[in-house]
Amino acid sequence: MALPAQLRAIQHHLRTAQEHEKRDPVVTYYCRLYAMQTGMKLDSKTPECRKFLVKLMDQLETMKKELNENDSITQEVVGNAHIENYALKLFLYADNEDRAERFHKNMIKSFYTSSLLMDVLSVFGELSDENIQHRKYARWKATYIHNCLKNGETPQSGPIGMDEDEEAVSNLTQPSPTGPPASNYNNIQIPPGAHAPANTPAELPPPSGGVQLSPEDFTKAQKYCKYAGSALQYEDVSTAIQNLQKALKLLTTGKE
């Protein structure tokens, strides 16, 4: 079914959904969910848009039934981590290629797809500043490198050349390849040495030491464990360790 012109803004998200149908249905599901939610805001009145959006809703319902045992679909926090990790993985791949001055179609597409997935993250709530910056940078990079290659010019790597008035993207440092930047998690800074294995468990206060944990603390600890599980799907050990340590610290001290 052809996409009505009024809904053109969601065409790339729908294409990303289609491309991942076999590879990663979770990505497909959330791209379609984003497209449906955005489409409703764009135009849910005219008959052709209405018809298109209803068809999209049916697709989502079918997928939800098919994937009813998948944690990333049934639990939003897991879905959120899945999409965020994947978006960041694409971003880091493209960013590394860019900094090594390897410019090609695949890295342009990775930059662009990561920016689309940052859009999709908005189905889970407000985007973090980090994600907004990554999205802006990735979208600019994809367009800039694409245009350079089209015109036979050699692109410059890194944030050089981004318009000065683009809010201080020159300050954008490359996120460390260990996974989502620490500040994604409610601005928690990882203390130096947090990566070292805890050889001396005796230093930790005993968990049952009467620490009063609020329901919010339990939710946060659960979130860190989910992020860790999601990172392990990508064999990203350091991000998994970071998040498990955060969960442990919260449960043992009641503080983050």
Side-chain angles (χ1 to χ4, degrees), residues 49-228:
C49 290
R50 227 184 149 71
K51 201 171 161 188
F52 186 88
L53 292 168
V54 166
K55 187 171 177 255
L56 199 51
M57 278 179 210
D58 291 344
Q59 276 184 320
L60 284 164
E61 277 309 305
T62 307
M63 285 193 80
K64 205 168 185 176
K65 283 180 191 134
E66 286 169 0
L67 299 168
N68 67 348
E69 287 184 7
N70 189 317
D71 281 355
S72 294
I73 302 296
T74 56
Q75 297 177 52
E76 278 206 347
V77 69
V78 188
N80 189 344
H82 185 101
I83 301 296
E84 192 167 12
N85 278 344
Y86 182 52
L88 208 78
K89 200 177 164 186
L90 289 172
F91 181 91
L92 288 169
Y93 161 74
D95 196 38
N96 286 331
E97 289 294 283
D98 177 50
R99 285 163 198 268
E101 300 188 352
R102 290 189 291 264
F103 306 109
H104 48 88
K105 272 185 180 161
N106 204 8
M107 59 95 79
I108 294 172
K109 187 166 178 149
S110 292
F111 264 136
Y112 192 61
T113 304
S114 81
S115 78
L116 295 173
L117 292 171
M118 297 287 177
D119 288 339
V120 171
L121 282 174
S122 65
V123 303
F124 304 106
E126 236 174 289
L127 292 186
S128 67
D129 291 346
E130 208 96 28
N131 286 339
I132 290 169
Q133 270 204 311
H134 280 150
R135 175 174 67 181
K136 191 175 189 176
Y137 183 70
R139 203 157 279 174
W140 167 72
K141 261 297 175 191
T143 311
Y144 165 71
I145 297 169
H146 172 79
N147 289 339
C148 282
L149 297 185
K150 198 171 75 175
N151 301 329
E153 296 162 10
T154 305
Q156 286 184 289
S157 64
I160 304 156
M162 193 162 186
D163 290 340
E164 263 52 82
D165 60 353
E166 291 277 11
E167 51 184 49
V169 176
S170 50
N171 298 336
L172 185 86
T173 50
Q174 183 189 15
S176 67
T178 55
S183 54
N184 269 12
Y185 309 104
N186 309 331
N187 295 324
I188 296 155
Q189 295 307 318
I190 299 163
H195 297 282
N199 295 329
T200 47
E203 287 175 10
L204 285 171
S208 54
V211 175
Q212 289 296 307
L213 295 171
S214 68
E216 199 188 351
D217 291 333
F218 283 110
T219 309
K220 276 184 188 165
Q222 207 176 4
K223 189 169 85 170
Y224 291 136
C225 293
K226 298 261 165 60
Y227 274 127

